[in-house]
Structures are given as C-alpha cells and as structure tokens.
Amino acid sequence: MKFENQPSYSLGQRGPNKDTLAGESGNVRLVSQSTLGEINRGRVLQALYDNGPKSRAELARLAGVNRTTITGIVQPMIEEGLLVEGDAVPSDFKGGKPARPIYFNPEAPMLGAVLLLPGRIQTCLVTLSGDIKALTKAQFDPHGDRGAFLAIIKDTLSATLSQAHQAPFGIGIASGGMIDSDNGVILAVNLAPVLTGLHLVDILQAHFSLPVVIDHHPRALLVGDRWFGPGRGQQNFAAIYTGEVLGGAFYIDGRVYRGLAGSGGELGHTVVQIDGELCNCGKHGCWETVAALPWLRREAARLGFANPESVTCARLVKEAAEGAEAANGLLDRYTRNVAFGILNLQQTLSLNSYVLHGDIAGGGADAAERVRQHVERLVKKRPNQEISITLNGIGEGHTALRGAAGLVLSSHLKLVI
Amino acid sequence: MKFENQPSYSLGQRGPNKDTLAGESGNVRLVSQSTLGEINRGRVLQALYDNGPKSRAELARLAGVNRTTITGIVQPMIEEGLLVEGDAVPSDFKGGKPARPIYFNPEAPMLGAVLLLPGRIQTCLVTLSGDIKALTKAQFDPHGDRGAFLAIIKDTLSATLSQAHQAPFGIGIASGGMIDSDNGVILAVNLAPVLTGLHLVDILQAHFSLPVVIDHHPRALLVGDRWFGPGRGQQNFAAIYTGEVLGGAFYIDGRVYRGLAGSGGELGHTVVQIDGELCNCGKHGCWETVAALPWLRREAARLGFANPESVTCARLVKEAAEGAEAANGLLDRYTRNVAFGILNLQQTLSLNSYVLHGDIAGGGADAAERVRQHVERLVKKRPNQEISITLNGIGEGHTALRGAAGLVLSSHLKLVI
DNA sequence: ATAAGTTTGTGCGAAGTACAAACAAACTGT
DNA sequence: ACAGTTTGTTTGTACTTCGCACAAACTTAT
C-alpha cells in the first residue's frame, strides 16, 4: 500500500544549520540497556542521598525491585570505593538476620566548587555529605585583562585542589550573569565584562583534566538546596534569591529546569506591573523592579527612613519587632511584592515549595511567614496542597558553593534519561 | 562503621496520610527491562507520528539503534495490526534493496473523544491520523439532575461508539472547569454545577469497559496541537486560549505539564497588573482580566464602539484593515496584553513556540503577527532562539475533540518513564 | 549476461541487566 | 534445640538490545 497525505512539519523554531537534538522532530532516541543500567545506578545513589544509609533489603523495598537487583547494582560501587557497608543493625523484628546499611564512603572523592561573582572568586572542596573544605578566596579586576583573570582562577583552584587527597569527581561553577550551560559559556556579565564570552568550561577542563560544569547563580543555589539543604528528597520546588537583583530557578519532576541552553527561569524579568517601573533589562514592571533591594531602598528614602541606603529585610524585621509602624508597613509591602512572583510561579507550575535566599532570607522566619501568608491569600488552594516557604543560606553562607558542587553531583549521577 | 548525623527530611509539602509517590522522598523507582521495552515501543510510534512513514533502516538511523532492534520492536505491532508495511520505495542510491516504509494501519482501532462544555456535549471517533468520524452532539441542563446528565452522556457516547467497527483504544474527555486528571474527577465547573465533584472517569470506564482519561480544555487543545496540529514533532511549546476566559497549557521536554493532580498551568490567573482589575477568581490584575473578551468588550464600550458586545478579535482585524483607527488601537492593546502573559511564560520556561486558540486565533495571521511583534519587543533574545507564534483551531473547529483523542494517545503510548 | 557495489531486511548468537527461587546466615522467642 | 523470620548470596531464567554475517533487491559498468 502507499502512504499519502501525511504531514511532517514543525513550528519553525530551529535556526539554520542547527543540529537536531534528541527528541526533536527527526530524531528520537531509544533507551539502550547500558543506559538502563546507568539510570538505575543513579537512582540507587539518589535514594541513599534522600533517605540516608539503607540496607540492600530496604533499598529493594524503596525501589520496588528484587534484592538481587540491588546487590548487583551496589556491589561494584562498594568495590570501587564510592559506597561502604556499615555495621550490622539489629532487626526491629522477632528474629531476622541483622541488616547491613550501605552509604557513601567518607574516603570517596570529593567535589570541586567555584563561586564566580563580579570581582571575586571563591573555591573549595565539598564532601559527598556537604562539608566544605580547602576554602580559597581571590579577587580580580572585573574590567581587566582576560589572561590575568584566567591566571587568577587557575591559581585559586590549584590551591584548593592541591589539598585533596585524590582527584575530585569534577568541578562545578556557579556564576552570575547570562550563562549557556549546555556549551559551558559565560554569555554576558554586565558587572564584569572581562568574563563576557568566556568558554570557561573548555578552558578549565583542558587545564585540570577534570569534568567541569557551569550554571548561573540562582540555579546553583537551587541545586545546593536539592542535595544539601531543605530541598533534599524533593522533586518539585523553587529557589528564589533577592538582593541587588532578583533571580530564581526550579526543579520539576526531579530535574533542574533549564530550558533551551539554560535560558529558562528568568523569573526576575517576568512582568507583574504592566507599564510599571523601568527595569535594567529595558522592560517596565518586572518582578525585580518591585521585589529587590533597589526598590526597598528607594521606598525607604521616599518614606523618610533614616539611612535608607542601608535598609535590608533584616533591618525592617528588627525595626518592626521594635514597634516601628513604618518599618512594619514597608516590610509588608516588600513581602507582598515577593509573593506576587511566587504566586505566578505557583499558578504556572504548582511547585508548592519555595526556598528563599539572599536578602529576603535575611529577614528570617518572620519574613518567610509573611511571604507565605501573602501567597496563601492569593492562591486558590487545591485539596491536599499546602504551600511551603522556607529559608536557606543564612549563617555561614556557603549555599552557593555547595550548589556549585551539587552541579557536579547532578551531572555525575545521570538521574534522568 | 556507624553512619551518624545524616539528615533525612523534606519541606513538608505532603499532607497527612498521603502515600508517597514515585520519586518522592522515600520512594525511588528503578526501571525494569519490560518498562524499557514499553518506552522504546512508544518512542518508535512517536517517531512515526512525527516523521511520517519510515522504513526500518530509516527508523534505526533516527533512533540511533541497530536495524535488528527496530525489527524486533516493529514486527509484533505489524502482526497485531497496529502498523502496516507499505509498498517498496525505490532507493535514492545507486543500487540498494528498496525500503519498505511502515506506518499506522488504517484498519487499526480508533480513539474516542468527548468535549464537555457547560450545557453541551460533543462526542466522536478520531482515526490515528486525526480524521473525525461519527460526530454526535447533545445538550444537558447545567443545573439539573446528576442522573439525567449521566444518562445523556452515556447515550451520546453509545451512539458514537456504535459506529466503530471495533473497540477504540480508549476515550478521552476534554472538559471545562477545574479537573483532577490523576484521579479522573471534575472538581468544579462554576457554569455547570451538575458536574462538580463527578468521578466521570470511573463511571465511564465501568460502563464502557474502556480506558478513559480526562483533562481540562486548554490542555486538551495542547495535546491536539501536539498530535494532529502545528505542535507535531515539538518537545516544548504552549497553547494559549482566549475567549470568555483565558487559559493555557504547555509541553516541556515532550511531556504535557500537569503539576500535582493536574493543577499546574493556571496561566490566566497569573498576575500581570498588581492591584489591577478584579478578576472572577477573587484576585486583582490577573492576565485574564486584560486579555479576554470581557476586557475587550468593556474597552470597546468605553471607547464608543458600535455594538461593543459583539466585539471580537476577528472584528477588530477586519475594521482595522478597513482603516478604522480606533479598532487598530484597541487591537494593538489587546494583542499587547496577550503578549505579556506569553512573555512571562517565555521568561519562565523558554518554550519559544506558542499556538493561539479561541478568539485571538480568530484574528488570523494579522493578530498572531502583532502578538509576535509585541513578544519580540519584550523578550531579550538569546542567540539562535526565534519565537514562533502560530494559530490552530480556526475552520472546522474540532481541535478540542482531536485533543481529547490525543489524551488517549499520550497515555497509551507511554512515552516517558 | 555477468559481476561489482550498495542498501535493506533477516537470522543467529552474544551481551547487559533485572527477576525468581532456593538456600545459607544470623538472629529472637518458646 | 527448634521454629520462625529477615537479610544476603547463589544459580538459573527472562527480556531486550547489539554485532556480525548473509540473503534479497536493486543500479551501473563491462
């Protein structure tokens, strides 16, 4: 028989000479058996991350598979030193062979991490359980010479990596600015032009002979929440950062959402006030224009606050607690404005869980509770769906470094086909 | 050794007594070999959908696997009548055995579809290539008796199904209102209270002994775009519907985005104008308040248009083409308002492709081009990322019914683990 | 008319990975 | 000492993809 009148067309989103990607029209990838094995190994590791040390039998129950299957997956990783078997744990039952829990080997390789901010570099090692080691800091001229910058970052990383007893799994980089995470390129950093256009991943991979991954700062915070923070075990949640700018990122179904070449998640530049204040991106009325520190300080000045340039969420919370009505009012407006963007994310994606970072997190539990109450007032609740607003990153402030390390974990574990 | 100080906690989003889902903390599913086979069979079917008839060798090239693998997948489906082998096609090469293309069997079972609107039901059969057959229509009292409604929908569907030569794969239902698509329940339809709380999937599955799936109307439009319309072959795109209300849905990485229990994608109730117009959802400044027909008509009345109650996008396009400056101005404002919500979706998810339905689609290519130009003005373009705005559903108007049928396809093909 | 070259489809056995069943090990309670 | 229970291991089976060789079906050159 002849097949006729069969359409085969697309919406025209691909540019000229662009290679088709897996899953795009014209190219559907099947799953091979070795890929199947990789997926399952990654999921077993994920289960250990999410649930803590577990025996083979417990892992088999969690994963819905045969005990033999778990042994087959786990044994090679014990033999290669990634995992280790713990002491026998007496059973909770009447009788029964004691279980032998399995977990990550403290002697396992660590993760390299780089935090890249305009003018400043921090590097460290992070253990599989999230401990920070060999922290090294340096500064660079954001408008300076490309070669000088590369020398500084290589030296700083070398100082850190020299304190590892064995080669780490890889190096993760959290950077400000517009990042193409697929190609490992810093597309643009307005505050540090020396970085713009830098193919940093290729350069560092060649220099250190280690896998290198890069992503932008809010997404690194998110990944840090996922592996080492309040997002542990979560499949769907967002991290929201407020400061000089406003940014965010989110996990959907266990995966960091990136969009094409990492371009998704420009949450600060979604519009919440048509024809509102001019944003530094050129549009009017972006979420960032009403929910970042510049807005807060401008409003503080307009309302006659003392030292308006030093107004932060923490300061407002403190002054409100001391009875200052003006501070209470401004704090309420700020947290309400933050809530509008969270509302829009909630309406769009139903993530139900949000972790606050940066200035808004500096306001502590009081600020978080205000944001949550505003969000709850705005969202039409669905049955059995509580919205959770939590904090991370207050205190020692290494969330972004852990996040950078988490980028390595996410890419190494191959958790999703 | 003993494992100590290992955290195992979550953000607290689960309610009391809620079963943990696959992938959530405490439960990670591994992939079995029979699941692997199902995934690969689904992907081969998807490749045929997206690319039209292909030979085994061509499919092997597309899928990146061995020719033997494709034969092993395809042969059982030929034997069971889902696929059929076509006439040999002479090779484009010098020599070479002629290829035997494979495609869907016209004698294969069809798909049942139901469109459920306040007061009206439409049912039909849809072939695997999207042809509509056995269309039946009925009306019901939206405030009437639950039993009377069920009798009407069963009769209407029976009339349609009696014209099928064999049992269809299943029945898909596109419905207005708030739908819990995981449990197959219509949670609320403000304009048709008789439907509220109806466990329609269980009822119809029991009655017809066929698989039944349900989703809300904009998501059914999206799925229709994906299988039978301009979204064919696309992994990431959104469908936007404007009319009395504004709704939308989107595909991410080849999957319909649903969120928990289908609650994601309430795009019409994202806020674009803080403290703006009161919305019928109770909030102020939702996208729906500035980009649906009620806004258009109210503005037309305010501006002194003749017969403002009959203003639609199509009418404005026509009058603007005839030189009416007021119509041109209102059309520009309407398409700009539609663009703001698309902008926010683009900033959040970087989908790059949007299909317009309903009233805004009624404005044809001119309206779509205006929307596209507004979006392009607002979005900071990334390298190699064109934004596409297309139309669907104008003409015969069966997009939603094809979409309902597509819900069956999506669930039947098991395209994703 | 025959041979060389090329592509497609099939047959056969190998490889990778999960599953089922049986058994040994290690415990508790009677 | 024995029964019962759970955990971990051993052995063989099942499912699915892969690699290689070969047959079939064509075109082109001689």
Side-chain angles (χ1 to χ4, degrees):
Chain A
M1 69 180 296
K2 296 186 188 313
F3 301 114
E4 297 173 328
N5 300 325
Q6 303 299 338
S8 177
Y9 54 92
S10 72
L11 291 168
Q13 89 193 70
R14 292 194 300 281
N17 296 328
K18 178 186 161 223
D19 291 338
T20 55
L21 301 178
E24 284 198 4
S25 183
N27 189 357
V28 174
R29 291 256 149 232
L30 302 192
V31 184
S32 72
Q33 288 193 310
S34 50
T35 302
L36 174 65
E38 286 180 17
I39 291 164
N40 283 345
R41 281 189 288 277
R43 291 187 180 192
V44 167
L45 294 178
Q46 175 104 56
L48 289 173
Y49 250 104
D50 294 345
N51 298 284
K54 293 293 177 190
S55 68
R56 295 168 182 81
E58 283 168 317
L59 285 170
R61 280 194 288 277
L62 285 174
V65 294
N66 200 271
R67 292 197 301 274
T68 317
T69 303
I70 295 297
T71 299
I73 291 172
V74 149
Q75 208 58 36
M77 293 192 267
I78 292 175
E79 285 161 8
E80 77 197 28
L82 178 66
L83 299 177
V84 75
E85 200 167 74
D87 294 345
V89 173
S91 176
D92 290 337
F93 300 86
K94 184 193 77 169
K97 185 179 179 181
R100 304 295 300 274
I102 290 163
Y103 203 55
F104 295 97
N105 187 352
E107 309 296 317
M110 291 186 279
L111 308 156
V114 180
L115 176 58
L116 193 52
L117 297 170
R120 294 192 288 118
I121 298 171
Q122 292 181 31
T123 67
C124 70
L125 294 165
V126 181
T127 67
L128 291 180
S129 55
D131 298 323
I132 300 276
K133 294 176 185 295
L135 180 63
T136 312
K137 298 179 181 181
Q139 294 190 330
F140 67 93
D141 182 356
H143 298 80
D145 176 53
R146 173 74 54 92
F149 165 76
L150 288 173
I152 293 171
I153 193 171
K154 285 171 182 173
D155 289 346
T156 314
L157 255 175
S158 294
T160 281
L161 296 179
S162 70
Q163 301 180 50
H165 299 305
Q166 58 192 311
F169 283 112
I171 301 171
I173 307 173
S175 176
M178 184 182 285
I179 312 295
D180 177 347
S181 49
D182 289 352
N183 294 310
V185 182
I186 301 179
L187 295 173
V189 188
N190 291 336
L191 297 174
V194 66
L195 302 178
T196 292
L198 191 59
H199 285 248
L200 194 54
V201 165
D202 290 341
I203 292 168
L204 295 182
Q205 273 182 171
H207 186 78
F208 293 104
S209 301
L210 288 171
V212 179
V213 288
I214 188 171
D215 221 325
H216 76 86
H217 180 258
R219 200 166 287 146
L221 290 175
L222 178 81
V223 173
D225 288 340
R226 176 64 184 85
W227 289 115
F228 306 111
R232 206 166 192 166
Q234 296 302 307
Q235 300 294 96
N236 302 280
F237 72 99
I240 305 292
Y241 171 89
T242 71
E244 293 302 322
V245 296
L246 189 153
F250 43 92
Y251 259 88
I252 297 181
D253 294 331
R255 289 182 284 175
V256 178
Y257 187 80
R258 285 193 158 83
L260 191 62
S263 59
E266 291 280 357
L267 302 176
H269 299 293
T270 55
V271 168
V272 296
Q273 193 84 14
I274 290 176
D275 297 324
E277 291 291 330
L278 175 67
C279 184
N280 65 26
C281 75
K283 299 202 298 299
H284 286 256
C286 291
W287 184 23
E288 180 168 292
T289 59
V290 296
L293 281 174
W295 176 89
L296 198 58
R297 292 167 183 158
R298 201 164 52 246
E299 283 299 299
R302 193 177 67 78
L303 293 167
F305 277 53
N307 296 325
E309 286 312 303
S310 73
V311 167
T312 63
C313 191
R315 182 180 143 179
L316 291 180
V317 166
K318 182 171 182 294
E319 292 181 4
E322 288 167 356
E325 287 301 311
N328 188 56
L330 185 55
L331 178 62
D332 195 63
R333 288 172 57 210
Y334 180 45
T335 54
R336 181 171 187 259
N337 287 354
V338 169
F340 274 110
I342 293 177
L343 156 72
N344 285 354
L345 202 51
Q346 178 63 20
Q347 292 295 89
T348 306
L349 297 173
S350 271
L351 298 174
N352 292 341
S353 299
Y354 300 86
V355 184
L356 303 179
H357 293 264
D359 180 66
I360 190 72
D366 184 8
E369 179 56 18
R370 287 177 187 245
V371 171
R372 195 192 64 78
Q373 285 176 3
H374 281 302
V375 171
E376 274 212 348
R377 239 172 256 136
L378 293 164
V379 171
K380 187 174 186 178
K381 279 180 63 178
R382 287 238 174 184
N384 295 325
Q385 293 199 33
E386 297 300 313
I387 293 175
S388 157
I389 313 275
T390 55
L391 306 166
N392 197 14
I394 50 179
E396 58 160 10
H398 291 150
T399 307
L401 278 166
R402 288 194 179 89
L407 296 175
V408 179
L409 267 182
S410 293
S411 78
H412 194 74
L413 291 182
K414 295 189 181 72
L415 296 177
V416 186
I417 34 172
Chain B
M1 66 182 297
K2 296 185 189 311
F3 301 116
E4 298 174 326
N5 301 326
Q6 303 300 340
S8 177
Y9 53 92
S10 71
L11 289 169
Q13 84 195 70
R14 291 193 302 279
N17 298 326
K18 179 181 156 228
D19 292 336
T20 55
L21 301 177
E24 283 198 6
S25 184
N27 190 355
V28 175
R29 291 261 149 227
L30 303 191
V31 185
S32 72
Q33 293 186 306
S34 50
T35 302
L36 173 65
E38 286 180 16
I39 291 165
N40 283 345
R41 282 189 286 279
R43 290 187 182 191
V44 167
L45 293 177
Q46 175 105 56
L48 289 174
Y49 249 103
D50 293 345
N51 298 285
K54 293 293 177 190
S55 68
R56 294 168 181 82
E58 282 168 316
L59 285 170
R61 279 193 289 276
L62 286 173
V65 294
N66 202 269
R67 292 195 301 274
T68 315
T69 302
I70 295 296
T71 299
I73 291 173
V74 149
Q75 208 59 36
M77 293 192 270
I78 292 175
E79 284 162 8
E80 80 198 24
L82 178 66
L83 299 177
V84 73
E85 199 166 72
D87 295 343
V89 174
S91 175
D92 290 335
F93 301 84
K94 181 194 78 167
K97 187 177 179 182
R100 303 296 299 272
I102 289 163
Y103 203 55
F104 294 98
N105 188 352
E107 310 297 317
M110 289 186 278
L111 308 156
V114 179
L115 175 58
L116 193 54
L117 298 170
R120 295 191 289 117
I121 298 171
Q122 293 181 30
T123 68
C124 70
L125 294 167
V126 181
T127 68
L128 291 180
S129 53
D131 298 321
I132 300 278
K133 294 177 186 296
L135 181 63
T136 313
K137 300 180 182 183
Q139 291 189 334
F140 66 93
D141 180 358
H143 298 82
D145 176 53
R146 173 75 54 95
F149 165 76
L150 287 173
I152 293 171
I153 193 172
K154 286 172 182 173
D155 289 345
T156 314
L157 255 175
S158 293
T160 281
L161 296 180
S162 71
Q163 301 180 48
H165 298 305
Q166 60 191 311
F169 283 113
I171 301 171
I173 307 173
S175 176
M178 185 182 285
I179 311 294
D180 177 348
S181 49
D182 289 351
N183 295 308
V185 181
I186 301 178
L187 295 173
V189 188
N190 290 337
L191 297 174
V194 66
L195 303 178
T196 293
L198 191 58
H199 285 248
L200 193 54
V201 164
D202 290 340
I203 293 169
L204 294 182
Q205 276 183 169
H207 186 77
F208 293 102
S209 301
L210 288 171
V212 177
V213 288
I214 189 171
D215 221 325
H216 75 85
H217 181 257
R219 199 167 288 145
L221 291 175
L222 177 81
V223 172
D225 288 340
R226 175 67 183 82
W227 290 115
F228 307 109
R232 204 165 196 167
Q234 296 302 308
Q235 301 293 95
N236 302 280
F237 73 100
I240 305 294
Y241 170 90
T242 71
E244 293 300 324
V245 295
L246 188 153
F250 43 91
Y251 258 88
I252 297 180
D253 295 329
R255 289 182 284 176
V256 178
Y257 188 78
R258 286 193 157 82
L260 191 63
S263 59
E266 289 280 355
L267 302 178
H269 299 293
T270 56
V271 168
V272 296
Q273 192 83 10
I274 290 175
D275 297 325
E277 292 292 328
L278 177 65
C279 184
N280 65 25
C281 76
K283 300 201 301 296
H284 288 253
C286 292
W287 186 20
E288 178 168 292
T289 59
V290 296
L293 283 173
W295 177 88
L296 200 58
R297 292 168 183 158
R298 202 165 51 244
E299 284 299 301
R302 194 176 69 78
L303 293 168
F305 277 53
N307 297 323
E309 286 312 302
S310 72
V311 165
T312 63
C313 191
R315 180 180 144 180
L316 290 180
V317 166
K318 181 170 184 292
E319 291 181 6
E322 290 165 355
E325 286 302 310
N328 188 58
L330 185 55
L331 178 61
D332 195 65
R333 286 172 60 209
Y334 179 47
T335 54
R336 182 173 187 257
N337 287 352
V338 170
F340 274 112
I342 292 176
L343 156 72
N344 284 353
L345 202 49
Q346 178 65 21
Q347 291 296 89
T348 306
L349 296 174
S350 270
L351 298 174
N352 291 341
S353 300
Y354 300 86
V355 184
L356 303 179
H357 292 264
D359 179 68
I360 190 71
D366 184 8
E369 179 56 18
R370 286 177 188 246
V371 171
R372 194 192 64 79
Q373 285 176 3
H374 282 301
V375 172
E376 275 213 346
R377 241 173 254 135
L378 292 164
V379 171
K380 186 173 184 177
K381 279 179 63 179
R382 287 239 176 183
N384 293 326
Q385 292 198 35
E386 296 301 314
I387 294 176
S388 158
I389 312 278
T390 55
L391 305 167
N392 197 14
I394 49 178
E396 59 159 9
H398 292 150
T399 307
L401 278 165
R402 287 195 179 89
L407 296 175
V408 179
L409 266 183
S410 294
S411 77
H412 192 75
L413 292 181
K414 296 191 180 74
L415 294 176
V416 185
I417 35 172

